[in-house]
Structures are given as C-alpha cells and as structure tokens.
Amino acid sequence: MPIAVIVFMPLIVAYTTWVYHVLRGRISRKHIRESHSLY
C-alpha cells in the first residue's frame, strides 16, 4: 500500500492542481452567451 501511495499521490495532486488552474476564475452569464451560441 505505501508503494501505491508513493506512486499515485503525486499524480492525484498534480491533476487536482492542473484542474484548479484550468477552471479558476469566475464566469458570468455574459461570458457564457458570448462563447456558446446555444444558450
């Protein structure tokens, strides 16, 4: 089990950090309307 933690924990932390970085910031209705034509 410790080996699995050593291998997978950095991957989980890296993925979580990347997702937070990509999805950061607030979004407004104006932004949604400008970027998506179906709304």
Side-chain angles (χ1 to χ4, degrees):
M1 195 65 186
I3 294 172
V5 171
I6 290 170
V7 170
F8 289 109
M9 190 58 135
L11 295 174
I12 294 169
V13 170
Y15 177 75
T16 304
T17 304
W18 176 75
V19 168
Y20 181 79
H21 177 74
V22 169
L23 299 177
R24 72 188 186 282
R26 297 184 62 93
I27 189 166
S28 65
R29 290 185 182 195
K30 181 182 176 185
H31 177 74
I32 294 172
R33 288 189 184 117
E34 290 174 354
S35 63
H36 298 288
S37 61
L38 297 176
Y39 290 110

